[in-house]
Amino acid sequence: MKITKAVKAILSNYESDNPGTKANLARILMQGQLGGTGKLIILPVDQGFEHGPARSFAVNEPAYDPHYHFQIAIDAGLSAYAAPLGMIEAGADTFAGQIPTILKVNSSNSWATSINQAVTGTVDDALRLGCSAIGFTIYPGADDVFDMMEEIREMSAEAKSVGIATVIWSYPRGGNLSKDGELALDVGAYAAHMAALLGAHIIKVKLPSAHIEQKDAQKAYEKLDSSTQAKRVSHVVKSCFNGRRIVVFSGGAAKGADAVYQDARDIRDGGGNGSIIGRNTFQRPRDEAMAMLAKLVNIYKGKE
């Protein structure tokens, strides 16, 4: 595998990392249809934990099978596949070496009253299963976020010591945040910056709205042009060490195809590294999902 100049430039931003961690980042960045471009599309399938199997998979019953998701990620030429322990274990042997995997090591469920996640996987699991990275969710704003930060500090240090990369899902909620504030531009940029400060190699956040939530931040945003989604993406990317960290944006709840494509164009035009898109693909019939992913690849290649 010959590493492209674009990927070498990205890897050079991770100045403290050992060759093992950089090699695993390179595996993700060089994989699939977008390999070598610096752009990524990752398939995440952790929604069974978060929402339950019926809400996640009943609309497209083949998606109950973990092999279905591995195969879609491979056949569509995606960059990586992210899932909790059991999902990856269920296909680890059949698909070994065919797609970089990200072990989601903490998870929640829809019945919990606290805004928190349980640790459900380990770095040893990621090593055993040949994963390129671990994935971990934090909830900036939640009362329990400080415990979550301490958990990922320890897990990320362990992962880095054995050459495994860290992906942080940074989703603001709880505390003094309003519902609109969870997607506010200032809050999203702050949450992304927290993930960078915690040592994430890849940062996953939601696309921000133009709303400014924090009164103390409003003056700082007065002169910032946030009139388009692409400009808001650019601000989030800038907040991640001036673009020195890989930033991908989640697809969110299932929505129309045109909205999915426009999101990708805005991410691309704003300098984001790509999409991490789950329900908007695996909740569609396989042929529709494959067509959607092919179009997303073309968008990130600048062809559409």
Side-chain angles (χ1 to χ4, degrees):
M1 178 177 66
K2 184 177 181 181
I3 306 295
T4 63
K5 288 182 179 180
V7 171
K8 285 182 179 179
I10 291 171
L11 294 177
S12 71
N13 290 325
Y14 297 87
E15 297 189 20
S16 70
D17 284 292
N18 60 39
T21 304
K22 287 194 174 187
N24 271 316
L25 283 173
R27 285 175 65 193
I28 295 171
L29 288 162
M30 293 300 299
Q31 176 74 22
Q33 295 292 321
L34 291 171
T37 65
K39 300 299 183 185
L40 305 171
I41 299 177
I42 298 170
L43 175 67
V45 189
D46 56 340
Q47 293 81 2
F49 247 133
E50 304 292 331
H51 306 297
R55 285 176 61 191
S56 300
F57 308 129
V59 68
N60 179 29
E61 291 199 355
Y64 278 105
D65 188 341
H67 282 213
Y68 179 82
H69 304 286
F70 274 97
Q71 200 66 62
I72 277 191
I74 293 164
D75 292 348
L78 303 189
S79 307
Y81 167 55
L85 179 63
M87 291 283 280
I88 290 183
E89 284 185 331
D93 182 56
T94 300
F95 301 101
Q98 297 184 52
I99 183 82
T101 50
I102 300 167
L103 177 63
K104 187 66 166 57
V105 293
N106 70 338
S107 296
S108 185
N109 65 69
S110 58
W111 303 326
T113 56
S114 64
I115 303 174
N116 203 341
Q117 296 214 355
V119 174
T120 56
T122 67
V123 172
D124 282 344
D125 290 324
L127 276 173
R128 172 174 60 87
L129 296 168
C131 298
S132 294
I134 59 168
F136 192 96
T137 295
I138 62 170
Y139 294 129
D143 292 340
D144 293 327
V145 72
F146 302 108
D147 292 335
M148 303 176 82
M149 288 178 174
E150 291 174 2
E151 288 168 352
I152 189 54
R153 179 202 66 205
E154 294 178 6
M155 294 191 78
S156 181
E158 183 183 358
K160 290 173 182 178
S161 74
V162 294
I164 292 176
T166 296
V167 185
I168 293 182
W169 280 236
S170 194
Y171 287 171
R173 64 186 63 169
N176 293 322
L177 286 176
S178 68
K179 196 65 179 175
D180 287 340
E182 293 179 5
L183 295 177
L185 175 58
D186 60 317
V187 172
Y190 191 177
H193 186 68
M194 284 187 203
L197 292 172
L198 284 166
H201 298 97
I202 300 174
I203 296 161
K204 177 191 176 188
V205 288
K206 295 181 179 180
L207 283 167
S209 70
H211 175 63
I212 304 300
E213 174 80 357
Q214 304 166 95
K215 290 183 180 179
D216 291 343
Q218 287 178 351
K219 186 174 182 180
Y221 280 88
E222 284 177 356
K223 295 182 179 180
L224 179 73
D225 183 358
S226 58
S227 58
T228 68
Q229 186 65 266
K231 290 177 180 178
R232 296 192 290 272
V233 166
S234 179
H235 176 64
V236 172
V237 171
K238 193 174 187 66
S239 299
C240 295
F241 300 165
N242 201 30
R244 288 180 175 269
R245 293 296 178 263
I246 298 166
V247 186
V248 294
F249 293 82
S250 65
K255 52 192 170 187
D258 288 344
V260 173
Y261 301 141
Q262 187 57 51
D263 284 349
R265 292 186 186 98
D266 291 334
I267 294 165
R268 177 199 65 197
D269 295 346
N273 292 95
S275 300
I276 179 162
I277 181 167
R279 283 172 287 177
N280 278 294
T281 54
F282 69 71
Q283 289 187 341
R284 286 177 162 84
R286 190 180 191 280
D287 57 345
E288 290 183 20
M290 293 296 289
M292 171 174 280
L293 290 167
K295 182 157 184 163
L296 289 172
V297 165
N298 282 335
I299 288 171
Y300 281 118
K301 286 182 174 180
K303 295 180 178 179
E304 295 197 34

